Amino acid sequence: MYPSRFDYDAPSTLEEAIAILDQGGGEAKVMAGGQSLIPMLRLRFASPERVVDINGIPDLEYHRIDPDGTLRIGALCRHEDLELSTIIGDTFPTLAGAAHLVSDPIIRTRGTFVGSLCHADPQGDWSATMIALGGKIIVQGPNGRREIEAKDFVLGPFVSALAFNEIAVEAIVPPAKGKALGGYLKLERRVGDFATASVAVALDMDGDTVTRAGCAMAGVGGRTIDANEAISVLQGKTLSSENIDSAAAAVAAASDPRTDHRGSADYKRHIVETFVKRVLVSVAKSEKKEAVA
Amino acid sequence: MAPLDELKIGGMGASRRRVEDNRFIRGKGNYVDDIVLPAMLHMQILRSPVAHAKIKSIDTSAAWEVPGVRLVLTGETMAARNLAWMPTLSYDTQAVLATDKVRFQGQEVAAVIADDPYIAQDACDKIVVEYEQLPAIVNPIQAQKADAPLIRDDKENQATNKIFDWEIGDKTATDQAFADADVVSKLDLHYPRSHPSPLENCGSIADYDRATGKLTVYMTSQAPHIVRAAVAMVAELPEHMVRIVSPDLGGGFGNKVPIYPGYVVSILASILTERPVKWIESNSENLISTGFGRDVYLEGELALRKDGKILGMRMKTISDHGAFYADAQPTKFKIGLMHSTFACYDIPTAHLVSEGFYTNKAPGGVAYRCSFRVTEAMFFQERMVHAAANDLGMDQAEFRKVNLVGDDMFPYRTAFGFLTDSGQYQKCLDVGLKAIGYDTFKQEQEEARKRGKLLGIGISTMTEPLGAGNSREYDIIGIKMFDSAELRVHMTGKALLRTGAKSQGQGHETTWSQIVAHELGIPADDIVVEEGDTDSAPFGMGTYASRSTPVAGAAVAMVSRKIRAKARKIAAHLLEVSEEDIEWELGRFYVRGNEERGVTIQDCALAAYSNIPDGLEPGLENTAYYDPPNLTWPFAAYLCKVEVDAESGVWDVLNFVAVDDCGVRINPMIVEGQVMGGLTEAYAMANMQYITFDEEGNCIGANYMDYLLPTAWETPGFELHEVVTPCPHHPIGAKGVGECATVAGPAAFVNAVMSAIEHTGVRNVDMPLMPNRVYEALKTGKDVSGMPPVLSD
């Protein structure tokens, strides 16, 4: 449990950090919360020559909602900030639903939202949430900033679209078209466990009609699975039990699980289907309740 | 004079705060890794990446080149000093550093000693080992095949992978019972491998002083005196020149009983470098290479009469011990106390056959919070009882009541020859049934099922043999399993107590003082307890198998009584009366018939150093060695209520009631803590813990992301009850309790889940009852086996 030798930098500006990465030529690694990187260093799964600690860079801790309803999450916003957030609960229920299921309470105090996206773990909760919500990641490199759609950000297991000299500086979630509903369900064996299977479902609703449906899954494929197309069968429809069933079946069919000690591929597919149904049924119920009130 | 209030001085029955916690919660504990010696070097071990392979060559030249490297050791270097192999605590041998072959993934192959552990690890990574891979044996079913590769080809006269055959009971009478039975109930299952997972891993600092010839080893041992004897023999050092110090231990759970190669290599490294050498293993190293628990297969059968009476029991166990038979067991009992199974039931006859096998896995099968295989014995028992009640169509509680040994039957000789001596089994069960609302449960279950909810209730009742043990039956490598206590009362009435046990979190510093307070009336706060240093502590066999209170605790009471006997002579002298005219009350002697005229124990202590009667030795100290007449037999009745989510297989504990009868409770708070801790581990085994091996012998789950330790978040609440039946032979009436919950707990959880799903026809789901297994059982109505993959022929 002793990492290989590495050099350590703690720059105080993004520009400085990017310059170090650029000079590092792919042998430097950014550290934000360190909750994935440090275990990988200790296990010697990762042996970068240089660790660039960005915790000293000011003004990256934020998460805020712009006047137009866009949610912006800075590179040093901790999981716990989102869990305890007073602004995302009503407007971004899918995010709020995932916030308290990310790892365990200790890790949530240090680990970051954006760092988790960059780590690109196929079992990561936030990537699924971002893809379901149609979010984007802003990355900054020597030549300035660019935007990457969340669905294009994760390329494979532990591989993101970040270039070696880029830092993900902000995640963006677009405003809902209508009322935002949805949720995040995860089958885990213990608090702090990675997902055996999880689903993020994000719906924009106009009355009882779905104006946008988003979905993604973790733990059921070699990377985060984008199920936006599968769930788009709900687009323009109501949440009738037939529609719910067909959407859940479509999402389950889009999953690509592997049989392992957490269960068979069939079992995981079944869990995906069950969880999508559960989220949709609870959305339908909450809509009904509101209509009665 | 008002008599002393025993609770106020922290005596018997006081839920006194744990004195050791003062340092633990402040981060001021002193664990092996906290110890820093001048000029200390650091050792890292290179381990085998494969499970079974011939070692063709080892090239250490690049490791020697790394700046800061002081020594590189391989099997060859060890062999040159006759240390490549060491004896185990079960009369086998174990490779220290591999010479001929590696026999499990994670086996010790080489070691680097360097200025710091980072350098040592860098150099380990530079050692090149050429392996010629051999087929791996990953379970005992494979191990017994005729064409199975021979794992222990190093041993003479070892033609197969079998370690032992062992048998007990009356086969003829048992066969007859089965022939006479109305119903025969059968159950096959697997108690999966689990890991004791102490939060502090194993490690040592060996410090050989060439000037004095003395070797001091600071190490993580639950039994430092056994280690001293073993080191003296293996390293051929005189025993008085070997000092083993076991400082604060961050848990042990049986994992810190065996002697590991790392200890031995660090000792040789210190002798060769003449500097202290520290070796601290990582979490993954602990998981992959140190003593695991369980991994036993059962074929069980009960012969039953229609009215529910058990007529006979037959059991065959097949156990996986890994590549070296290194789990400490009393010499007579190859599979530990497996034959304590069914001890709480009145069964006329029984027969047990056990076979043990080598596999290409880390050595183990240690008594993980367990009195030598008792955990397996009682789990098998309670799963068999559950299945048998169902096979007869009888209520679970009723079936147990028909068969439990009655209060009037003690002392009771079990079918396998144990003598249980006390208990109120029916009463404990009744307390539990009432607390969980058993009477109305069946109706509740019916109604819930109509609403699509699956409720289940599980019962587990057992008595287990704790506190090994009397010297007629129990030993480790021939050393009898007595224990000891030494008490020194200073002139101001304060005292120092040392025992041969070794706390790993059990709270000895707190409870031992309470026993002294109870016996002598010296306030518990005036007594300091020391354990673990073989140069100062009296010889004892250490702490495991719930033996501390039954054996060392008894020695504490006995040494206190010796002190009291001497103090009585001093009191007689001080009071100027004859000893026969002296009466004792807590903390004080007085003249019979004149209660006002007396002296306190503190007065006697002062006089022992300042006013000694003629003919009496000065001072007030003594030692007691205690050889218990029998084991102690606590009883547990656990009841668990669960709800199973039919759509996912996830199950939640709605209520858990634990009724424990561990005799007299010294510190009720510590007893409750022990029960809760044990139940938490039982829940983890039943629910989530999974560590297995693929066909090539690669360990799956060798880290704490995969092998799960439960946290406070998902661990259910436990409702605790007590019944007290004092142990008739223990000086203070106490019985062991540390392991009751890990032993009886798993079956309560499993039986509860089975009760919720067995309407589908399923009879068994092997632990851990992970959601996918429960869902599969519900969906198919068929048993789900935890049998690991068998290499296809």
Side-chain angles (χ1 to χ4, degrees):
Chain A
M1 288 295 113
Y2 296 96
S4 305
R5 177 170 289 277
F6 58 85
D7 289 326
Y8 171 86
D9 283 294
S12 52
T13 66
L14 271 176
E15 290 68 26
E16 204 185 324
I18 290 162
I20 297 168
L21 289 177
D22 198 37
Q23 286 154 22
E27 293 301 328
K29 191 87 192 149
V30 173
M31 182 175 81
Q35 299 302 293
S36 300
L37 181 62
I38 289 176
M40 288 177 63
L41 291 174
R42 284 165 55 91
L43 290 163
R44 298 198 171 193
F45 289 163
S47 301
E49 286 173 5
R50 187 172 286 270
V51 167
V52 185
D53 181 348
I54 62 167
N55 285 281
I57 301 177
D59 304 324
L60 292 175
E61 292 90 358
Y62 62 90
H63 73 283
R64 61 169 180 263
I65 298 177
D66 287 350
D68 72 346
T70 303
L71 172 66
R72 293 181 182 277
I73 300 171
L76 291 175
C77 175
R78 315 284 160 176
H79 306 306
E80 190 194 55
D81 299 338
L82 297 173
E83 187 185 8
L84 303 178
S85 171
T86 52
I87 59 171
I88 66 163
D90 292 334
T91 29
F92 296 96
T94 309
L95 268 180
H100 66 99
L101 292 175
V102 174
S103 193
D104 63 40
I106 301 161
I107 284 178
R108 289 202 291 271
T109 62
R110 290 195 75 89
T112 65
F113 181 93
V114 173
S116 164
L117 298 178
C118 296
H119 184 52
D121 189 322
Q123 290 173 302
D125 303 293
W126 287 132
S127 292
T129 312
M130 280 291 279
I131 292 171
L133 286 162
K136 291 171 192 164
I137 292 98
I138 306 223
V139 306
Q140 186 174 331
N143 304 318
R145 293 192 170 197
R146 64 183 179 121
E147 259 183 28
I148 306 173
E149 296 272 350
K151 66 183 170 61
D152 302 324
F153 190 70
V154 176
L155 299 181
F158 307 101
V159 184
S160 79
L162 270 181
F164 74 88
N165 53 7
E166 286 178 323
I167 294 177
V169 293
E170 186 179 71
I172 295 180
V173 183
K177 300 183 187 99
K179 186 171 172 53
L181 290 163
Y184 186 80
L185 288 179
K186 172 178 179 177
L187 181 67
E188 55 180 3
R189 298 169 300 171
R190 187 203 66 183
V191 169
D193 189 19
F194 289 100
T196 295
S198 77
V199 296
V201 177
L203 302 178
D204 295 351
M205 304 280 290
D206 181 8
D208 58 3
T209 306
V210 176
T211 55
R212 180 192 172 274
C215 181
M217 298 171 269
V220 287
R223 44 175 283 187
T224 318
I225 298 222
D226 177 353
N228 283 315
E229 201 182 314
I231 207 169
S232 68
V233 296
L234 285 175
Q235 195 97 26
K237 299 207 181 122
T238 63
L239 293 176
S240 68
S241 59
E242 300 78 54
N243 291 341
I244 287 176
D245 287 353
S246 62
V251 172
S255 69
D256 184 22
R258 227 164 32 109
T259 295
D260 63 13
H261 60 278
R262 290 160 181 257
S264 66
D266 282 347
Y267 172 72
K268 292 178 189 175
R269 221 173 274 122
H270 163 78
I271 290 295
V272 165
E273 186 165 352
T274 304
F275 281 8
V276 172
K277 266 188 218 172
R278 282 184 183 178
V279 176
L280 294 175
V281 166
S282 83
V283 168
K285 268 191 194 153
S286 71
E287 280 299 277
K288 231 179 246 166
K289 240 185 252 162
E290 217 157 88
V292 172
Chain B
M1 223 181 132
L4 274 181
D5 180 342
E6 179 160 357
L7 291 181
K8 277 197 181 144
I9 63 161
M12 199 74 73
S15 280
R16 180 174 178 245
R17 281 193 189 172
R18 291 173 22 123
V19 294
E20 44 273 85
D21 288 350
N22 265 328
R23 62 179 189 278
F24 294 152
I25 62 174
R26 287 178 168 84
K28 297 284 187 189
N30 188 38
Y31 301 92
V32 169
D33 202 14
D34 291 323
I35 297 170
V36 176
L37 300 179
M40 187 170 76
L41 298 172
H42 298 263
M43 180 175 106
Q44 289 288 105
I45 290 176
L46 178 73
R47 295 174 182 280
S48 170
V50 292
H52 199 192
K54 276 187 190 152
I55 295 178
K56 296 189 73 177
S57 66
I58 302 180
D59 181 356
T60 60
S61 54
W64 281 104
E65 298 296 313
V66 177
V69 167
R70 304 287 166 169
L71 183 65
V72 182
L73 293 171
T74 63
E76 207 178 321
T77 356
M78 300 300 288
R81 286 158 185 87
N82 203 20
L83 283 174
W85 292 81
M86 62 179 182
T88 72
L89 298 177
S90 289
Y91 303 98
D92 194 5
T93 49
Q94 176 172 357
V96 178
L97 292 179
T99 47
D100 52 338
K101 286 207 299 192
V102 287
R103 293 175 171 82
F104 68 91
Q105 187 186 48
Q107 188 179 334
E108 299 79 2
V109 173
V112 175
I113 292 87
D115 290 349
D116 72 43
Y118 298 84
I119 295 170
Q121 187 60 54
D122 288 347
C124 272
D125 291 352
K126 289 191 162 40
I127 297 173
V128 181
V129 186
E130 202 185 336
Y131 295 103
E132 181 186 319
Q133 222 165 322
L134 300 165
I137 299 292
V138 297
N139 64 52
I141 316 301
Q142 283 179 354
Q144 50 191 298
K145 285 189 179 169
D147 59 347
L150 185 63
I151 296 169
R152 295 300 302 274
D153 50 352
D154 59 290
K155 292 180 78 174
E156 275 175 44
N157 308 320
Q158 181 75 43
T160 70
N161 291 317
K162 185 176 271 187
I163 304 171
F164 61 78
D165 279 304
W166 195 74
E167 184 178 354
I168 192 169
D170 186 337
K171 184 172 188 306
T172 313
T174 306
D175 287 346
Q176 190 57 47
F178 276 84
D180 297 342
D182 295 327
V183 176
V184 171
S185 173
K186 296 186 181 187
L187 193 70
D188 293 351
L189 53 80
H190 177 218
Y191 199 130
R193 190 180 179 100
S194 62
H195 199 81
S197 301
L199 288 185
E200 178 207 26
N201 300 313
C202 296
S204 56
I205 303 170
D207 183 14
Y208 179 70
D209 184 336
R210 196 173 173 193
T212 61
K214 183 132 187 177
L215 172 71
T216 303
V217 188
Y218 302 88
M219 64 186 287
T220 50
S221 176
Q222 296 176 226
H225 282 98
I226 303 181
V227 177
R228 183 180 68 188
V231 167
M233 288 183 241
V234 175
E236 291 176 0
L237 290 164
E239 195 174 354
H240 67 298
M241 284 290 143
V242 179
R243 175 184 172 213
I244 305 296
V245 183
S246 205
D248 283 334
L249 293 185
F253 307 101
N255 183 253
K256 292 173 181 169
V257 174
I259 296 167
Y260 294 120
Y263 302 145
V264 178
V265 180
S266 70
I267 290 170
L268 180 64
S270 180
I271 292 171
L272 293 179
T273 59
E274 297 181 21
R275 286 169 69 173
V277 174
K278 179 188 270 189
W279 164 67
I280 302 289
E281 70 186 5
S282 69
N283 285 341
S284 293
E285 287 181 289
N286 182 271
L287 269 170
I288 205 171
S289 72
T290 66
F292 64 89
R294 334 300 184 218
D295 216 346
V296 184
Y297 297 80
L298 165 76
E299 293 167 21
E301 284 181 291
L302 284 175
L304 304 163
R305 209 164 62 195
K306 262 183 295 193
D307 62 359
K309 178 87 183 108
I310 301 172
L311 301 175
M313 193 281 296
R314 229 168 10 207
M315 208 183 246
K316 179 180 179 185
T317 69
I318 299 173
S319 46
D320 181 337
H321 299 258
F324 310 102
Y325 182 34
D327 43 316
Q329 309 288 350
T331 305
K332 281 170 79 170
F333 309 118
K334 295 296 169 204
I335 189 69
L337 306 185
M338 187 70 83
H339 58 303
S340 62
T341 189
F342 283 87
C344 70
Y345 297 111
D346 176 29
I347 297 180
T349 179
H351 185 234
L352 165 70
V353 174
S354 292
E355 296 176 2
F357 289 92
Y358 291 118
T359 60
N360 289 117
K361 289 149 86 173
V366 298
Y368 167 16
R369 206 166 182 170
C370 159
S371 189
F372 308 115
R373 302 285 185 181
V374 165
T375 310
E376 292 96 311
M378 300 312 161
F379 181 75
F380 294 160
Q381 166 197 307
E382 284 308 291
R383 290 291 299 124
M384 286 168 68
V385 163
H386 182 93
N390 286 347
D391 290 345
L392 285 171
M394 261 181 98
D395 174 75
Q396 290 291 339
E398 189 52 39
F399 180 67
R400 284 173 172 80
K401 286 187 176 186
V402 167
N403 290 294
L404 283 171
V405 171
D407 301 0
D408 55 354
M409 294 163 75
F410 295 110
Y412 178 82
R413 182 72 65 180
T414 74
F416 286 129
F418 285 106
L419 192 71
T420 57
D421 50 27
S422 58
Q424 302 173 69
Y425 301 168
Q426 304 269 354
K427 182 181 172 187
C428 290
L429 179 55
D430 283 337
V431 169
L433 293 170
K434 185 158 179 265
I436 207 154
Y438 192 78
D439 283 352
T440 55
F441 176 75
K442 283 224 165 99
Q443 199 185 336
E444 205 184 321
Q445 188 180 35
E446 283 296 305
E447 284 167 10
R449 217 167 263 168
K450 281 179 202 150
R451 293 186 319 238
K453 286 194 180 296
L454 301 176
L455 297 186
I457 205 161
I459 305 178
S460 176
T461 48
M462 65 97 205
T463 185
E464 57 164 332
L466 297 185
N470 66 73
S471 55
R472 295 180 312 280
E473 301 267 15
Y474 302 99
D475 68 284
I476 300 287
I477 49 169
I479 309 167
K480 302 298 186 184
M481 296 187 74
F482 54 82
D483 223 291
S484 59
E486 180 206 271
L487 182 59
R488 298 183 180 181
V489 182
H490 308 318
M491 66 183 76
T492 56
K494 316 293 182 193
L496 165 64
L497 177 82
R498 291 175 171 137
T499 85
K502 174 60 202 151
S503 187
Q504 310 124 42
Q506 288 88 344
H508 292 177
E509 290 171 48
T510 307
T511 45
W512 293 163
S513 304
Q514 292 185 242
I515 296 174
V516 178
H518 172 72
E519 294 291 339
L520 291 177
I522 297 175
D525 285 343
D526 289 353
I527 300 148
V528 69
V529 174
E530 285 182 6
E531 291 178 341
D533 183 339
T534 57
D535 267 8
S536 58
F539 187 94
M541 291 297 272
T543 291
Y544 43 87
S546 282
R547 64 186 301 280
S548 295
T549 292
V551 193
V556 173
M558 299 314 271
V559 77
S560 301
R561 289 174 193 181
K562 286 185 176 178
I563 294 286
R564 196 166 75 204
K566 182 170 182 185
R568 176 186 292 269
K569 291 187 196 301
I570 298 170
H573 163 71
L574 294 175
L575 293 167
E576 297 176 325
V577 293
S578 83
E579 218 185 310
E580 290 72 44
D581 294 328
I582 294 279
E583 292 283 340
W584 167 256
E585 64 180 10
L586 187 63
R588 182 172 178 269
F589 296 99
Y590 61 89
V591 179
R592 187 175 305 126
N594 185 0
E595 281 190 36
E596 294 304 305
R597 220 180 124 217
V599 288
T600 64
I601 187 76
Q602 288 82 4
D603 296 332
C604 298
L606 182 60
Y609 297 84
S610 61
N611 179 8
I612 306 123
D614 288 343
L616 200 63
E617 275 181 55
L620 194 57
E621 52 185 78
N622 219 319
T623 304
Y625 279 78
Y626 188 78
D627 184 6
N630 190 6
L631 299 158
T632 70
W633 294 88
F635 185 78
Y638 294 164
L639 295 95
C640 175
K641 204 159 128 182
V642 298
E643 180 176 339
V644 175
D645 175 10
E647 286 182 335
S648 66
V650 170
W651 51 277
D652 289 315
V653 176
L654 303 178
N655 194 1
F656 195 106
V657 170
V659 185
D660 279 285
D661 180 355
C662 58
V664 174
R665 296 184 174 204
I666 303 161
N667 182 320
M669 180 193 72
I670 286 182
V671 172
E672 286 166 15
Q674 286 276 24
V675 173
M676 290 204 184
L679 287 175
T680 304
E681 287 176 282
Y683 171 70
M685 287 173 215
N687 183 294
M688 63 179 83
Q689 291 183 330
Y690 190 67
I691 183 165
T692 189
F693 295 80
D694 70 11
E695 292 185 355
E696 294 182 338
N698 296 306
C699 182
I700 297 164
N703 62 68
Y704 287 115
M705 286 188 288
D706 290 326
Y707 188 76
L708 302 176
L709 302 186
T711 73
W713 287 87
E714 58 279 330
T715 302
F718 305 114
E719 181 185 322
L720 308 187
H721 295 262
E722 68 168 73
V723 167
V724 177
T725 315
C727 174
H729 62 75
H730 189 276
I732 53 170
K735 303 177 180 182
V737 70
E739 297 160 349
C740 293
T742 27
V743 172
F749 293 107
V750 175
N751 286 344
V753 174
M754 295 312 296
S755 151
I757 66 173
E758 61 204 0
H759 60 282
T760 60
V762 59
R763 270 172 71 81
N764 183 53
V765 179
D766 275 344
M767 292 195 292
L769 272 62
M770 297 182 289
N772 57 308
R773 289 188 181 181
V774 175
Y775 177 77
E776 188 188 327
L778 262 170
K779 206 177 155 196
T780 62
K782 295 206 171 82
D783 289 4
V784 181
S785 165
M787 180 79 188
V790 177
L791 202 66
S792 43
D793 292 296

